[in-house]
PDB file of all heavy atoms in Angstrom:
ATOM      1  N   LEU A 157      -6.108 119.257 -96.316  1.00 95.00           N
ATOM      2  CA  LEU A 157      -4.882 119.924 -95.858  1.00 95.00           C
ATOM      3  C   LEU A 157      -4.634 119.629 -94.385  1.00 95.00           C
ATOM      4  O   LEU A 157      -3.506 119.286 -93.993  1.00 95.00           O
ATOM      5  CB  LEU A 157      -5.002 121.431 -96.084  1.00 95.00           C
ATOM      6  CG  LEU A 157      -3.901 122.298 -95.446  1.00 95.00           C
ATOM      7  CD1 LEU A 157      -2.531 121.928 -95.984  1.00 95.00           C
ATOM      8  CD2 LEU A 157      -4.202 123.778 -95.667  1.00 95.00           C
ATOM      9  N   LEU A 158      -5.657 119.752 -93.553  1.00 93.00           N
ATOM     10  CA  LEU A 158      -5.484 119.514 -92.119  1.00 93.00           C
ATOM     11  C   LEU A 158      -5.129 118.058 -91.837  1.00 93.00           C
ATOM     12  O   LEU A 158      -4.339 117.774 -90.928  1.00 93.00           O
ATOM     13  CB  LEU A 158      -6.749 119.920 -91.370  1.00 93.00           C
ATOM     14  CG  LEU A 158      -7.080 121.420 -91.402  1.00 93.00           C
ATOM     15  CD1 LEU A 158      -8.397 121.690 -90.691  1.00 93.00           C
ATOM     16  CD2 LEU A 158      -5.960 122.254 -90.787  1.00 93.00           C
ATOM     17  N   GLU A 159      -5.687 117.135 -92.609  1.00 91.00           N
ATOM     18  CA  GLU A 159      -5.340 115.721 -92.431  1.00 91.00           C
ATOM     19  C   GLU A 159      -3.885 115.462 -92.802  1.00 91.00           C
ATOM     20  O   GLU A 159      -3.182 114.693 -92.127  1.00 91.00           O
ATOM     21  CB  GLU A 159      -6.277 114.854 -93.271  1.00 91.00           C
ATOM     22  CG  GLU A 159      -7.691 114.785 -92.698  1.00 91.00           C
ATOM     23  CD  GLU A 159      -8.729 114.305 -93.688  1.00 91.00           C
ATOM     24  OE1 GLU A 159      -8.363 114.047 -94.861  1.00 91.00           O
ATOM     25  OE2 GLU A 159      -9.908 114.202 -93.308  1.00 91.00           O
ATOM     26  N   ARG A 160      -3.411 116.094 -93.864  1.00 93.00           N
ATOM     27  CA  ARG A 160      -2.002 115.944 -94.257  1.00 93.00           C
ATOM     28  C   ARG A 160      -1.085 116.541 -93.185  1.00 93.00           C
ATOM     29  O   ARG A 160      -0.049 115.966 -92.847  1.00 93.00           O
ATOM     30  CB  ARG A 160      -1.771 116.643 -95.597  1.00 93.00           C
ATOM     31  CG  ARG A 160      -2.566 116.055 -96.747  1.00 93.00           C
ATOM     32  CD  ARG A 160      -1.882 114.889 -97.404  1.00 93.00           C
ATOM     33  NE  ARG A 160      -2.675 114.308 -98.456  1.00 93.00           N
ATOM     34  CZ  ARG A 160      -2.712 114.757 -99.713  1.00 93.00           C
ATOM     35  NH1 ARG A 160      -1.983 115.805-100.060  1.00 93.00           N
ATOM     36  NH2 ARG A 160      -3.466 114.168-100.617  1.00 93.00           N
ATOM     37  N   LEU A 161      -1.469 117.692 -92.662  1.00 95.00           N
ATOM     38  CA  LEU A 161      -0.671 118.313 -91.608  1.00 95.00           C
ATOM     39  C   LEU A 161      -0.681 117.453 -90.345  1.00 95.00           C
ATOM     40  O   LEU A 161       0.332 117.351 -89.653  1.00 95.00           O
ATOM     41  CB  LEU A 161      -1.198 119.714 -91.302  1.00 95.00           C
ATOM     42  CG  LEU A 161      -0.907 120.780 -92.364  1.00 95.00           C
ATOM     43  CD1 LEU A 161      -1.709 122.045 -92.081  1.00 95.00           C
ATOM     44  CD2 LEU A 161       0.590 121.098 -92.407  1.00 95.00           C
ATOM     45  N   HIS A 162      -1.822 116.854 -90.054  1.00 94.00           N
ATOM     46  CA  HIS A 162      -1.910 115.979 -88.878  1.00 94.00           C
ATOM     47  C   HIS A 162      -0.927 114.821 -89.013  1.00 94.00           C
ATOM     48  O   HIS A 162      -0.223 114.473 -88.044  1.00 94.00           O
ATOM     49  CB  HIS A 162      -3.339 115.456 -88.727  1.00 94.00           C
ATOM     50  CG  HIS A 162      -3.534 114.552 -87.553  1.00 94.00           C
ATOM     51  ND1 HIS A 162      -3.493 114.995 -86.250  1.00 94.00           N
ATOM     52  CD2 HIS A 162      -3.752 113.203 -87.488  1.00 94.00           C
ATOM     53  CE1 HIS A 162      -3.696 113.976 -85.425  1.00 94.00           C
ATOM     54  NE2 HIS A 162      -3.852 112.875 -86.155  1.00 94.00           N
ATOM     55  N   GLU A 163      -0.879 114.213 -90.188  1.00 93.00           N
ATOM     56  CA  GLU A 163       0.058 113.106 -90.421  1.00 93.00           C
ATOM     57  C   GLU A 163       1.494 113.547 -90.171  1.00 93.00           C
ATOM     58  O   GLU A 163       2.283 112.819 -89.554  1.00 93.00           O
ATOM     59  CB  GLU A 163      -0.083 112.587 -91.852  1.00 93.00           C
ATOM     60  CG  GLU A 163      -1.408 111.901 -92.140  1.00 93.00           C
ATOM     61  CD  GLU A 163      -1.548 111.536 -93.603  1.00 93.00           C
ATOM     62  OE1 GLU A 163      -0.573 111.746 -94.363  1.00 93.00           O
ATOM     63  OE2 GLU A 163      -2.630 111.050 -93.999  1.00 93.00           O
ATOM     64  N   GLU A 164       1.828 114.737 -90.643  1.00 95.00           N
ATOM     65  CA  GLU A 164       3.193 115.239 -90.468  1.00 95.00           C
ATOM     66  C   GLU A 164       3.467 115.573 -89.008  1.00 95.00           C
ATOM     67  O   GLU A 164       4.517 115.220 -88.463  1.00 95.00           O
ATOM     68  CB  GLU A 164       3.406 116.473 -91.345  1.00 95.00           C
ATOM     69  CG  GLU A 164       4.741 117.180 -91.136  1.00 95.00           C
ATOM     70  CD  GLU A 164       5.935 116.257 -91.318  1.00 95.00           C
ATOM     71  OE1 GLU A 164       5.895 115.391 -92.215  1.00 95.00           O
ATOM     72  OE2 GLU A 164       6.906 116.389 -90.553  1.00 95.00           O
ATOM     73  N   LEU A 165       2.527 116.251 -88.350  1.00 96.00           N
ATOM     74  CA  LEU A 165       2.754 116.662 -86.964  1.00 96.00           C
ATOM     75  C   LEU A 165       2.761 115.480 -86.004  1.00 96.00           C
ATOM     76  O   LEU A 165       3.377 115.560 -84.940  1.00 96.00           O
ATOM     77  CB  LEU A 165       1.696 117.685 -86.541  1.00 96.00           C
ATOM     78  CG  LEU A 165       1.720 119.017 -87.311  1.00 96.00           C
ATOM     79  CD1 LEU A 165       0.659 119.966 -86.770  1.00 96.00           C
ATOM     80  CD2 LEU A 165       3.097 119.666 -87.255  1.00 96.00           C
ATOM     81  N   ARG A 166       2.094 114.402 -86.366  1.00 94.00           N
ATOM     82  CA  ARG A 166       2.162 113.206 -85.531  1.00 94.00           C
ATOM     83  C   ARG A 166       3.591 112.669 -85.460  1.00 94.00           C
ATOM     84  O   ARG A 166       3.993 112.098 -84.450  1.00 94.00           O
ATOM     85  CB  ARG A 166       1.233 112.125 -86.096  1.00 94.00           C
ATOM     86  CG  ARG A 166      -0.248 112.437 -85.918  1.00 94.00           C
ATOM     87  CD  ARG A 166      -0.691 112.340 -84.486  1.00 94.00           C
ATOM     88  NE  ARG A 166      -0.823 110.947 -84.056  1.00 94.00           N
ATOM     89  CZ  ARG A 166      -1.014 110.576 -82.806  1.00 94.00           C
ATOM     90  NH1 ARG A 166      -1.056 111.493 -81.848  1.00 94.00           N
ATOM     91  NH2 ARG A 166      -1.139 109.302 -82.492  1.00 94.00           N
TER      92      ARG A 166
END
Side-chain angles (χ1 to χ4, degrees):
L157 170 60
L158 294 177
E159 287 162 358
R160 297 274 178 84
L161 287 169
H162 180 70
E163 293 174 4
E164 174 56 38
L165 296 182
R166 289 289 284 170

